[in-house]
């Protein structure tokens, strides 16, 4: 079972392959290809401690790099090596929970933990996010009820952008690889995650999917979450933004009924506007409800089948992914600058 | 179900703490659950009992410390109590109110042997 979120990873499949356990005894953790701070020499992990803001945690180890779930060495062109070292017992350095002085009575004592329940997932998400930032990959987590039109929307988006932007897709569904096949038919790489009885994607699964998918440098990574307006809100995947899709056949009060999702999203796509003449759906009211929950929410109304309103969405996507690429270039430039400064200093020392 | 996932994460955190702190039994687990966190305390209790079965927290008591929601009203600028994310401001009736507290879900403390 997945100890990241517990939703039954025994059942989770990435392109048909079983996903290894994410936590507990099986020393594992998110990949940190560059930052050595994350993995101390004893192979100390990720876990919740360093990578998650609140972690007083003592999560399983991450020593990553280049070992696949099945133990085969993997090419790590991107270094997105999210690997496992199963079966190692992991003792956590410096992570022993503080004991309250004076509370020991006999055998019973109190141990302070102060750890976010989602810390393990958050650590995996932080590793994913760092990887995306380093490679200029703009990742979106698309969330909605089943049937709101996510896959249809993705296919049309891919068709419009694939000539100018490299695109990769992660498809999440409980069963079948039908959606990944629909995406592959549109001409881009796609990996299917089947969550079995799990009702959302988590950051651990997405890390493995990225190992398989190896998204291109400066690409767009579209992640279609499991159709569910509830729990995907709580599970950070490392995406730049959550995009919530609400179709006009679902009712304009959905943002009030499922506020967490609208709260977590940066952008709401109001889909199936071609059907507005036939349904009782008040667009202004839906937007108003959504902004009560999330005042900063951006909104684009569109139709994935007719293409109406699509230009605004493509615009948003292109602008945001260019920002991600620019962020990567700025980081690289700053690092190069720093290297030349250090080299200059070194040269000076050598002379003196 | 959402709470089942979370309850299993709680057990995971407890097991890691046990490895680090050298204890073998947990008799009480204190959780801090915010009113705005979309966790149902009753569902959490039920799932915790199930998830704890066969672990070092089998039969442990679950104490849930509920943290009240708080928010900043964009209309009147007051910090106000907030019962749900989409509620209007209890002071002025306006909205939006941005949540500033009550979204936490954490394992706070353990009683162990
Ligand atoms: N009329 C209309 N139907 C749509 C639109 N977008 C998707 N659909 C239909 O809605 C159904 C569900 O779409 P799908 O993309 O599989 O939804 P998903 O479950 O969110 O991935 C399919 O029959 C689509 O053809 C739209 O903009 N307008
Ligand atoms: Mg779909
Ligand atoms: Zn899981
Ligand atoms: Zn893994
Ligand atoms: Zn779920
Ligand atoms: Zn107010």
């Amino acid at each position: 079972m997945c100890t990241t979120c517990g939703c039954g990873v025994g059942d989770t499949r990435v392109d048909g392959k079983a996903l290894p356990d994410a936590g507990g005894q099986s020393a594992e953790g998110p990949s940190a290809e560059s930052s050595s701070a994350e993995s101390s020499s004893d192979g100390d992990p990720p876990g919740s401690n360093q990578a998650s803001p609140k972690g007083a945690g003592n999560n399983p180890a991450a020593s990553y790099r280049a070992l696949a779930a099945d133990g085969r060495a993997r090419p790590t062109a991107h270094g997105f090596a999210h690997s496992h070292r199963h079966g190692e017992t992991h003792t956590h350095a410096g992570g022993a929970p503080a004991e309250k002085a004076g509370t020991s009575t006999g055998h019973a004592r109190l141990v302070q933990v102060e750890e976010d329940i989602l810390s393990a997932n958050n650590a995996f998400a932080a590793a994913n996010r760092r990887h995306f930032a380093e490679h200029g990959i703009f990742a979106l987590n698309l969330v909605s009820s089943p049937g709101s039109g996510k896959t249809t929307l993705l296919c049309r988006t891919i068709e419009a952008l694939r000539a100018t932007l490299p695109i990769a897709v992660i498809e999440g569904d409980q069963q079948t690889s039908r959606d990944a096949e629909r995406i592959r038919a549109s001409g881009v790489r796609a990996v299917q995650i089947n969550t079995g009885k799990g009702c959302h994607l988590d950051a651990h699964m997405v890390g493995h999917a990225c190992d398989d998918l190896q998204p291109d440098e400066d690409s767009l990574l579209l992640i279609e979450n499991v159709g569910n307006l509830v729990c995907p809100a709580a599970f950070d995947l490392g995406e730049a933004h959550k995009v919530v899709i609400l179709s006009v056949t679902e009712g304009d009060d959905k943002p009030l009924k499922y506020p967490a999702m609208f709260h977590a999203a940066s952008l709401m796509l109001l889909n199936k506007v071609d059907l507005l003449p036939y349904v009782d759906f008040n667009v202004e009211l839906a937007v108003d409800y959504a902004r009560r929950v999330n005042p900063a929410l951006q909104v684009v109304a569109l139709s994935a089948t007719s293409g109406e309103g699509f230009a605004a969405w493509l615009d948003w996507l292109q602008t945001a992914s260019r920002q991600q690429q620019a962020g990567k270039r700025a980081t690289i430039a700053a690092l190069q600058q720093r290297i030349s400064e250090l080299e200059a200093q070194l040269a000076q020392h050598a002379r003196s | 179900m959402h709470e089942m996932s979370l309850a299993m994460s709680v057990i995971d955190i407890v097991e890691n703490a046990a490895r680090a702190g050298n204890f073998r039994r947990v008799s009480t687990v204190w959780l801090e659950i915010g009113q705005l966190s979309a966790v149902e305390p009753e569902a959490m209790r039920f799932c915790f009992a199930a998830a704890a079965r066969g672990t070092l927290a089998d039969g442990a008591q679950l104490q849930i410390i509920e943290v009240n929601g708080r928010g900043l009203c964009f209309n009147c600028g007051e910090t106000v109590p907030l019962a749900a994310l989409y509620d209007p401001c209890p002071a002025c009736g306006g909205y939006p109110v941005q949540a500033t507290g009550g979204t936490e879900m954490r394992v706070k403390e353990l009683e162990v042997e």
Side-chain angles (χ1 to χ4, degrees), chain B residues 83-94:
Chain B
L85 280 177
Y86 50 89
D87 275 5
C89 171
C92 72

Side-chain angles (χ1 to χ4, degrees), chain A residues 1 3-7 23-25 54 58-60 90 95-97 100 107-119 199-200 231 234-235 256 259-260 263 288 291-293 295, chain B residues 1-2 4-10 12-13 15-17 19-23 30-33 38 44 74 85-86 88 95-99 103-113:
Chain A
M1 168 204 23
T3 40
T4 299
C5 71
C7 62
Q25 288 83 340
K54 296 178 186 167
N58 355 263
N59 256 312
H90 173 66
K100 269 190 187 168
H107 288 307
R109 58 192 163 108
L110 294 178
V111 174
Q112 262 182 307
V113 179
E114 299 290 353
E115 184 167 343
D116 196 292
I117 294 175
L118 293 173
S119 57
C199 47
H200 55 264
C231 23
F235 289 82
L256 293 186
H263 185 71
D288 184 56
R291 291 214 170 115
R292 281 193 209 180
V293 176
Chain B
M1 181 185 12
H2 191 55
M4 197 60 195
S5 300
L6 298 175
M8 285 168 147
S9 293
V10 170
D12 198 36
I13 289 170
E15 285 183 335
N16 284 325
R19 232 166 289 137
N22 273 317
F23 51 86
W30 280 269
L31 296 187
E32 213 169 42
I33 300 291
M44 180 55 112
F74 280 35
L85 280 177
Y86 50 89
Y95 55 83
V97 182
Q98 187 83 57
T103 56
E104 47 278 274
M105 303 190 251
R106 11 188 23 217
V107 179
K108 205 171 162 41
E109 204 170 18
L110 310 172
E111 184 178 39
V112 307
E113 284 157 33

Side-chain angles (χ1 to χ4, degrees), chain B residues 25 27 62:
Chain B
R25 290 284 314 151
S27 46
L62 186 68

